[in-house]
Amino acid sequence: MASSVTDLLIGKIVAILENEGTTIASVRDEVDSIKEELRSMRAFLLDAEADTAKNEREKLWVESIRDLAYDVEDIIDEFMYHMYEKQSGSRLSRRLHKTICFPKSLWFRRKTAKRLQKITKKIKDIPERNQRYGVGLVGGATTSEDIHRSVQNQADSSFFIMEDELVGIEGKKQILMEWLMDEDQRQTVISVVGMGGSGKTTLAAKTFNNEKVKRHFHCCAWITVSQTSDVVHLFRSLIMELYKSRKEDVPENLNTMSSRELKGLLVHYLESKRYLVVLDDVWDNKDWSEIKVSLQDRQLGSRIIVTTRKEDVASNCFGVKSHVHHIQRLQKDEAWELFCKKAFSSNEHKTCPPDFVSLACQLVEKCEGLPLAIVALGGLMSSKKSLDQWQQVYNSLNWHLDNNSLLDPVKNILLLSFNDLPSQLRHCFLYCSLFPEDFVIRRKRLIRLWIAEGFVEHVKGITPEEVADGYLWELCFRSMLQVVERNETGRPRKVKMHDLMRELALLTAEKEKFGHVYDGRQVMEEISTRRLSIHKMEGEITSWPGMSKIRSLLFFATDMSSLSFLNALVSQFKLLRTLDLEGVQIDNLPDAVVHLFNLRYLNLKGTLIKKLPESIGLLHNLQFLNIKDSKIESLPQRIEKLLNLRHLIMYRYTIESRGFMIYAVGTKAPSNICKLQKLQCLKVIESEGDTFRLIGNMTQLKSIGISNLKEQDGIDLWVSIEKLNMLQSMVLIPSNEEEILPVKAQCPPLPHLRKLVLVGRLQNVIPWFSSLHSLTALILHWSRLEEDLLPQIEALPNLTRIQLCSTYVGEELCFRRGFVKLEVLELLNFDPVKVITIEKGVMPNLRDLTVARCMELKTVPLGLEYLSNLQTLDLKDVPMKVIQPIRKGGADRFKVQHIPKIRHIFQRSSERVHEDLS
């Protein structure tokens, strides 16, 4: 985390040297010296982050260097703020500043130079650089080897857990046993993947130790790979285990064999044997691939089980048959049963006393179905006999994670995942802990915050958004974040943190001065952190020492409506980079915001703000502005000054859910908005005047949304779109429900278009739909076509999501062929449609199907029985004659009995009823 701070600072210092020229001569030497020190600091901090084994002296040195880096950041930001104040005044004040106030400016430069000299001296007070940053370990610290040893002991104990101590494992074990002992003679790799502590090793151990499994194979071996394993040692261990399983003598010269000799011995030994090998805790594909070379496929029915926390390892089967088993969290009843077995082991029947039920339920919920956490927490609570003691543990769970040895197994398991993260991902992960517990975080919101914070490294030829997207993928692959929802391309749309993972991240964030969460309960004497996340307000926050150090303010206390208080609060954070006020119920932008010269990210989504001031143009560094679902209907003229703006989100959803304006209403913008040449996302702009002609000048646009379209706008619109060579998403909305959407029969090439939303009437089916080979999502509302649209889109190779609403006015909708990658299909407001048919072989990968507000429908879609991969069927506001036959015992029940989740949603009197038909 700290290395990113120094990276950012070096960039700032270089910018000052380049921009200030000779005027900064008085501090140039100090800046150059600090720059070199920062580079050395960065190298040291990278090593320190990679090495978690530090004694107390090392920890102090790491903290002091990190604090010095922060001090430099403060000095540089304050210097830039001084320059900003000087330059942002009126023309008269700037002239006066040059003639009258120059001595003050000179004094400030000298003061800055002295402060930098003082820091340089502090750094050089530590011994010479090589000695200073080449610290050797001294005994007494908890080393990374200690953590690995503890985790290894935990894994070993999985072999000896009694069956009656396990919960929710039997069904999973049967799945693995079927894969292990099926009749297929091809070698098969079985990957068990899940986050640390989810029970991967326990499941594999109980399957491996089953006598029926052992008898099925000629020889068996279990080895733990882990992060610190040596490949030669792994081969020796594997050979020893295989020999031991057959009660054979291990070769005497095994310990002197080279890697090549060991591989040759292993290949020869397994040549005519059906073997079972378990590779527990595999962290990367390098070790896995080296071992796999020696585990050759002799078509004897051999099996390899791999347990891992990482999706990329689980999916790497090296071209042989494979299965991937994703460990699911324990169900609520299973989690409760396991907790009671541990927490109330001394009680009769191991049941929870009535007085403890409420707190026990809350503690179990904290574990979110993670078996290791449930067992460890249950063991801790078994020693607590009073309700007060239980309440104390609940209130200070993060303290117990850090200080109570009974929770060390959980802490160590989770720490391994955190310590394995590359440097640039650690701060991204810690940032997630600033969101409230169980908060579902939108992907776009998160990666924009990361970019604004300066966490995302520069990669030539790739946008910061794409790099940040890769970071999010990686955290999900590593099971550090849980995917709540995916978009049509399979990319995470929403994620969340496991509660205990978040508690551990918060501990680390506090220690590293990375961030602090204020929930209204603490008494804040001083702020030493860089990021403040306010979750709850108890009265008003008074001024705290250290507020000027804050660079990010996230506000989740959305019920706060005091504009004067918020203005007073923001005015103390003059050097903010990010300000997130999403959902806060204020009706005006705090005056202090427009003076935050350093601001990169401003989120006003869901506020009651009606207008942005002209002075918003002072925010020259702003990159992200979100006013979605606020009350702002038009942008000020001085929006043109925001030349660094990359994303401008400014649409409002309407209340009407059945009629034409179901999608979004745009925001008016002055014609000078076309000066924002760095804009990548502009959604949704309300067209007027020469908007269409000017949009073509914004050639960096990847996402565009336009409302208030009229039929006569077509020529200018498509001339501009033709210039947007990078376009990936397009939304077009007409001025009213009778207006024909100006979509030409011939369209310029849109090779990168992934998402297309057309709201409004179409005269005819669009012929160029069939040319959109990159399209993954198609949303059509209120098209009211008289001819069948489906033949034009059925062959699109990447289409995974379709939403059609009031698109077709015929009586029958028939999917005859194609839609090979379609996963989500929504059919809404098809009032005239009586029959929906899905032919056999069509949309073989469909996962979710929704049919809503089709009141003339006579039956469920014909052909549902052919959709073998369908997971969810939602039927909303359809006639009861459609529902009755598919209820249990109904005549058409056979058509839907293979679907795991079937929901019937309808209105009864004043309530919305959700009926489960599964």
Side-chain angles (χ1 to χ4, degrees):
M1 180 275 296
S3 62
S4 68
V5 172
T6 54
D7 277 338
L8 179 62
L9 298 183
I10 291 169
K12 284 183 180 179
I13 293 166
V14 170
I16 291 172
L17 286 170
E18 290 174 349
N19 297 332
E20 293 298 317
T22 57
T23 60
I24 202 173
S26 60
V27 295
R28 181 184 296 277
D29 291 342
E30 287 76 14
V31 169
D32 280 340
S33 178
I34 285 289
K35 185 169 67 174
E36 293 307 313
E37 290 298 331
L38 286 172
R39 284 177 173 153
S40 296
M41 282 182 185
R42 183 180 187 277
F44 168 64
L45 290 169
L46 281 171
D47 289 341
E49 286 176 346
D51 178 16
T52 57
K54 287 181 281 290
N55 55 53
E56 291 306 312
R57 184 176 63 181
E58 286 178 299
K59 289 178 183 177
L60 286 173
W61 285 359
V62 171
E63 288 171 13
S64 65
I65 289 175
R66 184 178 289 112
D67 289 345
L68 286 172
Y70 281 143
D71 287 344
V72 177
E73 181 182 36
D74 290 339
I75 293 169
I76 298 300
D77 277 348
E78 286 168 20
F79 180 88
M80 297 294 285
Y81 186 68
H82 176 80
M83 295 295 104
Y84 157 78
E85 280 195 315
K86 182 182 76 173
Q87 294 165 6
S88 63
S90 66
R91 193 173 299 173
L92 174 62
S93 68
R94 287 198 295 269
R95 193 180 306 126
L96 287 171
H97 186 93
K98 287 180 180 178
T99 58
I100 300 172
C101 302
F102 179 73
K104 183 179 178 182
S105 180
L106 184 61
W107 169 82
F108 186 81
R109 292 173 192 276
R110 286 174 177 168
K111 181 182 176 183
T112 300
K114 286 181 179 179
R115 293 175 71 187
L116 291 173
Q117 287 169 358
K118 189 175 180 181
I119 288 182
T120 304
K121 184 178 182 301
K122 282 183 180 179
I123 295 173
K124 290 180 177 177
D125 281 344
I126 308 172
E128 287 300 318
R129 187 169 295 146
N130 286 341
Q131 296 175 356
R132 180 165 76 239
Y133 299 143
V135 182
L137 285 177
V138 180
T142 300
T143 67
S144 54
E145 285 76 16
D146 292 333
I147 294 176
H148 279 286
R149 197 176 302 115
S150 170
V151 172
Q152 178 62 56
N153 292 338
Q154 181 73 23
D156 291 343
S157 66
S158 299
F159 284 88
F160 307 105
I161 299 174
M162 301 294 289
E163 289 290 338
D164 61 358
E165 295 181 44
L166 299 173
V167 170
I169 201 172
E170 193 57 39
K172 301 169 187 175
K173 189 174 77 173
Q174 288 303 319
I175 292 172
L176 261 62
M177 287 180 63
E178 288 174 12
W179 288 339
L180 287 175
M181 298 189 295
D182 63 23
E183 296 180 358
D184 196 328
Q185 294 303 297
R186 292 174 293 172
Q187 183 192 67
T188 303
V189 174
I190 299 165
S191 298
V192 183
V193 61
M195 72 178 290
S198 58
K200 303 181 296 295
T201 298
T202 301
L203 172 61
K206 288 303 168 187
T207 309
F208 178 82
N209 283 329
N210 184 277
E211 285 302 320
K212 191 175 179 182
V213 169
K214 287 280 183 71
R215 289 195 301 268
H216 183 75
F217 296 94
H218 299 136
C219 55
C220 305
W222 175 294
I223 60 170
T224 301
V225 180
S226 80
Q227 292 163 297
T228 58
S229 297
D230 171 70
V231 174
V232 173
H233 172 71
L234 289 175
F235 276 117
R236 288 197 185 109
S237 300
L238 181 54
I239 291 167
M240 289 173 66
E241 288 289 315
L242 290 167
Y243 273 81
K244 192 169 88 173
S245 72
R246 292 174 59 83
K247 299 180 180 177
E248 298 172 346
D249 293 333
V250 177
E252 291 181 2
N253 61 340
L254 189 66
N255 289 331
T256 61
M257 285 185 178
S258 67
S259 174
R260 185 173 181 177
E261 290 170 329
L262 289 168
K263 289 178 184 177
L265 173 61
L266 190 57
V267 170
H268 179 71
Y269 184 78
L270 295 177
E271 193 168 21
S272 59
K273 296 180 178 70
R274 180 167 61 249
Y275 57 82
L276 168 61
V277 171
V278 178
L279 305 176
D280 184 38
D281 201 21
V282 179
W283 285 83
D284 61 59
N285 281 312
K286 182 175 175 291
D287 290 341
W288 179 196
S289 61
E290 288 203 44
I291 296 170
K292 178 64 181 70
V293 169
S294 300
L295 300 177
Q296 298 183 352
D297 185 7
R298 302 296 185 186
Q299 299 288 308
L300 296 170
S302 295
R303 301 290 184 261
I304 304 168
I305 297 178
V306 174
T307 73
T308 181
R309 307 176 186 208
K310 299 171 74 173
E311 289 278 355
D312 59 332
V313 173
S315 61
N316 197 342
C317 60
F318 301 97
V320 302
K321 182 185 175 185
S322 65
H323 300 286
V324 178
H325 180 73
H326 290 86
I327 289 279
Q328 301 298 318
R329 293 179 293 175
L330 294 180
Q331 299 294 323
K332 286 185 177 180
D333 56 339
E334 295 172 335
W336 177 255
E337 180 186 350
L338 182 58
F339 181 79
C340 289
K341 282 184 176 183
K342 296 297 177 183
F344 308 109
S345 55
S346 60
N347 292 8
E348 187 179 1
H349 306 305
K350 300 181 179 180
T351 55
C352 176
D355 292 350
F356 287 74
V357 168
S358 177
L359 262 176
C361 285
Q362 293 178 63
L363 285 167
V364 172
E365 285 177 9
K366 280 275 187 185
C367 299
E368 291 193 39
L370 196 65
L372 178 65
I374 295 167
V375 169
L377 195 55
L380 171 63
M381 302 317 294
S382 66
S383 63
K384 312 296 180 186
K385 302 304 179 185
S386 70
L387 273 176
D388 286 344
Q389 289 176 318
W390 277 57
Q391 189 68 56
Q392 287 169 8
V393 171
Y394 181 80
N395 291 342
S396 57
L397 189 56
N398 60 354
W399 182 91
H400 282 276
L401 268 174
D402 199 32
N403 296 281
N404 197 309
S405 61
L406 290 172
L407 295 184
D408 276 353
V410 182
K411 177 183 172 183
N412 289 337
I413 286 281
L414 299 183
L415 267 179
L416 278 183
S417 292
F418 178 72
N419 293 336
D420 185 59
L421 289 176
S423 173
Q424 68 269 23
L425 290 188
R426 292 191 184 189
H427 36 267
C428 292
F429 175 71
L430 291 180
Y431 202 89
C432 298
S433 69
L434 300 179
F435 289 82
E437 185 178 305
D438 294 325
F439 193 89
V440 176
I441 312 170
R442 298 190 313 277
R443 174 183 62 87
K444 290 182 180 179
R445 182 182 189 181
L446 188 57
I447 65 174
R448 288 165 186 167
L449 282 164
W450 286 347
I451 294 168
E453 288 278 2
F455 294 161
V456 178
E457 61 186 334
H458 173 72
V459 179
K460 189 175 181 180
I462 305 177
T463 65
E465 288 78 6
E466 290 168 328
V467 177
D469 221 15
Y471 289 179
L472 186 63
W473 268 111
E474 183 73 10
L475 288 172
C476 294
F477 278 153
R478 290 168 174 265
S479 305
M480 300 291 282
L481 293 176
Q482 302 168 7
V483 179
V484 176
E485 183 182 323
R486 296 183 185 274
N487 67 6
E488 51 275 357
T489 63
R491 190 167 55 180
R493 177 181 274 135
K494 297 176 182 177
V495 298
K496 69 185 288 287
M497 290 186 92
H498 188 283
D499 277 359
L500 292 184
M501 192 71 92
R502 178 178 174 272
E503 295 283 0
L504 197 63
L506 276 176
L507 274 172
T508 306
E510 294 270 358
K511 289 177 181 178
E512 302 287 344
K513 298 182 181 178
F514 177 90
H516 176 77
V517 168
Y518 177 77
D519 61 7
R521 293 181 297 181
Q522 314 100 310
V523 177
M524 296 287 288
E525 296 178 355
E526 182 177 4
I527 293 180
S528 59
T529 185
R530 291 329 236 199
R531 296 164 189 86
L532 179 62
S533 180
I534 299 176
H535 291 186
K536 191 176 181 182
M537 298 295 300
E538 296 288 342
E540 293 193 352
I541 299 174
T542 56
S543 179
W544 297 323
M547 276 189 163
S548 62
K549 296 182 183 297
I550 295 292
R551 296 301 189 274
S552 294
L553 178 62
L554 307 176
F555 227 101
F556 295 98
T558 54
D559 56 343
M560 199 283 297
S561 58
S562 172
L563 185 63
S564 60
F565 161 64
L566 188 57
N567 190 55
L569 185 66
V570 172
S571 65
Q572 298 183 68
F573 304 138
K574 294 180 179 178
L575 303 177
L576 275 185
R577 291 178 66 88
T578 65
L579 177 59
D580 197 316
L581 299 174
E582 182 169 321
V584 177
Q585 300 301 290
I586 51 172
D587 53 14
N588 278 295
L589 184 71
D591 295 336
V593 170
V594 299
H595 300 296
L596 301 175
F597 87 104
N598 208 25
L599 200 66
R600 265 72 171 166
Y601 174 97
L602 178 58
N603 185 2
L604 304 174
K605 178 183 175 182
T607 63
L608 304 177
I609 295 173
K610 301 180 181 67
K611 186 178 181 181
L612 290 178
E614 291 290 341
S615 52
I616 195 78
L618 293 172
L619 300 177
H620 299 305
N621 290 310
L622 196 65
Q623 297 176 0
F624 305 96
L625 175 59
N626 189 346
I627 58 172
K628 176 182 171 182
D629 284 329
S630 68
K631 303 298 181 182
I632 299 168
E633 296 182 0
S634 62
L635 296 177
Q637 283 288 328
R638 292 196 67 189
I639 198 75
E640 65 173 341
K641 300 294 184 182
L642 306 183
L643 296 178
N644 286 303
L645 205 60
R646 300 166 64 86
H647 295 261
L648 179 53
I649 318 298
M650 52 178 193
Y651 57 91
R652 307 185 303 282
Y653 285 111
T654 58
I655 297 174
E656 177 58 57
S657 62
R658 294 181 66 92
F660 163 68
M661 293 305 290
I662 188 174
Y663 202 74
V665 175
T667 301
K668 294 177 182 177
S671 59
N672 60 18
I673 197 171
C674 68
K675 293 181 180 179
L676 306 184
Q677 295 292 303
K678 293 184 181 179
L679 265 186
Q680 294 184 19
C681 177
L682 177 60
K683 280 186 176 180
V684 169
I685 183 171
E686 184 175 315
S687 68
E688 57 180 7
D690 53 359
T691 302
F692 304 113
R693 184 173 54 81
L694 296 172
I695 283 175
N697 298 327
M698 304 164 79
T699 55
Q700 296 299 304
L701 278 175
K702 291 186 176 182
S703 181
I704 180 73
I706 307 172
S707 67
N708 198 37
L709 281 163
K710 299 179 177 62
E711 192 172 2
Q712 62 265 29
D713 298 325
I715 295 175
D716 286 341
L717 171 67
W718 292 101
V719 167
S720 286
I721 288 176
E722 192 169 4
K723 298 176 184 177
L724 305 181
N725 297 323
M726 303 171 70
L727 203 61
Q728 295 179 4
S729 173
M730 181 166 63
V731 179
L732 300 178
I733 305 171
S735 57
N736 61 67
E737 64 182 87
E738 296 304 324
E739 189 74 53
I740 302 294
L741 203 60
V743 180
K744 301 197 311 178
Q746 298 299 317
C747 172
L750 296 169
H752 306 296
L753 196 69
R754 296 178 185 170
K755 183 174 183 178
L756 177 62
V757 180
L758 300 179
V759 179
R761 293 190 64 184
L762 295 174
Q763 266 187 330
N764 305 104
V765 173
I766 312 301
W768 50 263
F769 276 177
S770 58
S771 70
L772 301 176
H773 297 301
S774 296
L775 200 69
T776 59
L778 176 64
I779 298 173
L780 300 177
H781 280 212
W782 210 253
S783 308
R784 295 160 72 185
L785 289 165
E786 294 182 3
E787 57 182 311
D788 193 356
L789 161 78
L790 300 181
Q792 289 291 335
I793 61 175
E794 63 190 17
L796 291 177
N798 292 299
L799 197 59
T800 56
R801 181 193 173 203
I802 297 176
Q803 184 184 95
L804 303 177
C805 178
S806 300
T807 304
Y808 180 55
V809 296
E811 293 188 355
E812 183 175 354
L813 198 61
C814 184
F815 295 83
R816 291 185 170 83
R817 62 184 68 84
F819 301 103
V820 291
K821 284 192 177 181
L822 195 67
E823 294 181 4
V824 179
L825 174 62
E826 298 171 88
L827 304 173
L828 319 173
N829 279 25
F830 279 82
D831 287 336
V833 170
K834 296 179 179 179
V835 179
I836 299 171
T837 304
I838 302 168
E839 299 284 357
K840 188 174 183 179
V842 180
M843 39 187 147
N845 292 300
L846 194 68
R847 190 184 68 244
D848 298 311
L849 173 61
T850 299
V851 178
R853 298 186 294 278
C854 299
M855 296 310 296
E856 296 299 317
L857 203 61
K858 293 182 176 180
T859 178
V860 292
L862 304 176
L864 281 180
E865 60 270 27
Y866 303 137
L867 303 176
S868 58
N869 289 310
L870 195 63
Q871 298 296 306
T872 304
L873 173 63
D874 282 342
L875 300 167
K876 303 178 183 180
D877 300 315
V878 297
M880 289 304 295
K881 64 183 178 184
V882 172
I883 301 300
Q884 292 290 0
I886 63 168
R887 287 199 169 108
K888 290 179 181 177
D892 290 339
R893 181 65 183 181
F894 71 96
K895 296 180 180 180
V896 299
Q897 61 188 8
H898 64 290
I899 306 171
K901 186 182 292 186
I902 308 171
R903 295 179 294 202
H904 175 216
I905 302 167
F906 60 99
Q907 194 75 23
R908 183 167 57 196
S909 300
S910 60
E911 65 173 338
R912 197 74 174 151
V913 179
H914 292 249
E915 180 186 7
D916 186 0
L917 298 178
S918 305

